[in-house]
Amino acid sequence: MKRASSQPSTSVTPAKKIATSNDTDGFTTDSIPQHHYHLGEDNYAVVTDFRDVINVHIRKYKTDDNGRILPTKKGVSFSPFVWESLSKEIDRLPLPSDSEQVAVIRDTLFLSSAWIENVPHVSLQRFVTKKDFSRQFLPSLCLLTEREWDRLQCIRKKITESCKTLMFDNFLKKKILLEVSSRSPRTNLQMELSDVEMVLSTSLTEILADSIKSRIEDVLVCNGCLQNQANQLGHECVTMNFETRHDLYGDLAVLSVDIELLVKDFVEKNIQMLNYINENFLNNLDIALLVKNARDMYIASDIMPHRMF
């Protein structure tokens, strides 16, 4: 069998540049870039990884004299975690509405109804909370018609998948190579290539599964705890099995994983195989399978899988 090369890979291949809301070249209606979703009229939902920061944008675009579609400053952007929080609630939000109802997502995104020329819209605007707990709204906002709001609901899973793709296919792999390049190999192990890839893949899966478990524990909403119920059977944190937890909070957990910390743990845990953590290994790494296996590993770690739900 072929043995893995013992030569360290210290070069980092630049991440493939994708069109982002910061691009100045724009695009056309017949060549909409990856991770760009047309909501209607001039509004788009876009997922970007500009400067290694992943953001979801709901933004108004304009068409120039050459037919190129370009982003404007009219819009909002937020993290994948905030997006997934909105995505989980979007079906239940009573917007647009005549009753002046509003919604606040993760103490950073404010949604309300706006009527423009008797046409209902959903308004999205970012804000920050000041030291005196008052809200300071950022000047830019985005207005969506009912049809565009419905369209956003319909494609929310696609936007979430775009976030995952950029987070793991691009950001994770790039960070691993950067972390490896900053370390010095300690031991030159001689192992079969297939064994190396299996060990490294399993290690990365275990670390991701642990991260998902930790994040689910952080984001899980337990009504029993909120209501201070004495009976433990009224606590979801006690009665809910891991499979249900992942169904409800898995995407929220995955999109809030600290990738840099995960990478450091992975490299440190496998420091003796540092020479083998290279571009070949990462190119062969099936990201979709990695996330699926981490999910399965998390669910399998449930010591009481047959709880109430």
Side-chain angles (χ1 to χ4, degrees), residues 49-63:
D49 63 347
F50 184 68
R51 293 181 178 176
D52 291 338
V53 177
I54 300 173
N55 274 309
V56 178
H57 304 257
I58 312 295
R59 191 167 300 281
K60 188 177 184 65
Y61 280 63
K62 65 180 180 180
T63 304

Side-chain angles (χ1 to χ4, degrees), residues 47-182:
V47 185
T48 69
D49 63 347
F50 184 68
R51 293 181 178 176
D52 291 338
V53 177
I54 300 173
N55 274 309
V56 178
H57 304 257
I58 312 295
R59 191 167 300 281
K60 188 177 184 65
Y61 280 63
K62 65 180 180 180
T63 304
D64 66 11
D65 295 337
N66 297 318
R68 306 292 295 178
I69 300 173
L70 302 166
T72 71
K73 294 182 179 180
K74 297 179 180 179
V76 293
S77 61
F78 34 81
S79 69
F81 180 64
V82 173
W83 159 253
E84 190 58 29
S85 299
L86 170 61
S87 176
K88 285 178 61 64
E89 297 293 330
I90 200 168
D91 282 338
R92 296 189 287 270
L93 296 179
L95 298 171
S97 169
D98 294 328
S99 59
E100 298 184 356
Q101 290 182 299
V102 300
V104 176
I105 305 296
R106 295 292 171 186
D107 203 27
T108 187
L109 181 63
F110 187 86
L111 297 96
S112 61
S113 298
W115 292 79
I116 302 174
E117 297 180 353
N118 293 323
V119 177
H121 291 72
V122 176
S123 170
L124 299 91
Q125 189 170 14
R126 289 285 308 278
F127 69 89
V128 294
T129 303
K130 301 169 69 174
K131 290 183 178 179
D132 61 0
F133 300 105
S134 63
R135 292 173 179 168
Q136 179 179 345
F137 286 88
L138 304 185
S140 181
L141 58 82
C142 183
L143 293 171
L144 300 180
T145 64
E146 281 188 280
R147 186 173 182 178
E148 291 169 336
W149 179 247
D150 290 342
R151 171 66 176 160
L152 184 64
Q153 295 182 48
C154 291
I155 64 171
R156 56 186 171 176
K157 287 295 184 182
K158 292 182 179 180
I159 296 174
T160 295
E161 289 305 313
S162 286
C163 291
K164 290 181 184 178
T165 297
L166 291 181
M167 187 172 180
F168 289 98
D169 267 347
N170 291 18
F171 192 59
L172 174 68
K173 292 181 178 181
K174 181 178 180 180
K175 286 297 180 181
I176 288 176
L177 289 177
L178 286 172
E179 184 67 23
V180 168
S181 69
S182 69

Side-chain angles (χ1 to χ4, degrees), residues 14-29:
K16 181 180 179 181
K17 188 178 186 299
I18 66 166
T20 73
S21 63
N22 297 279
D23 288 345
T24 57
D25 294 337
F27 56 91
T28 61
T29 54

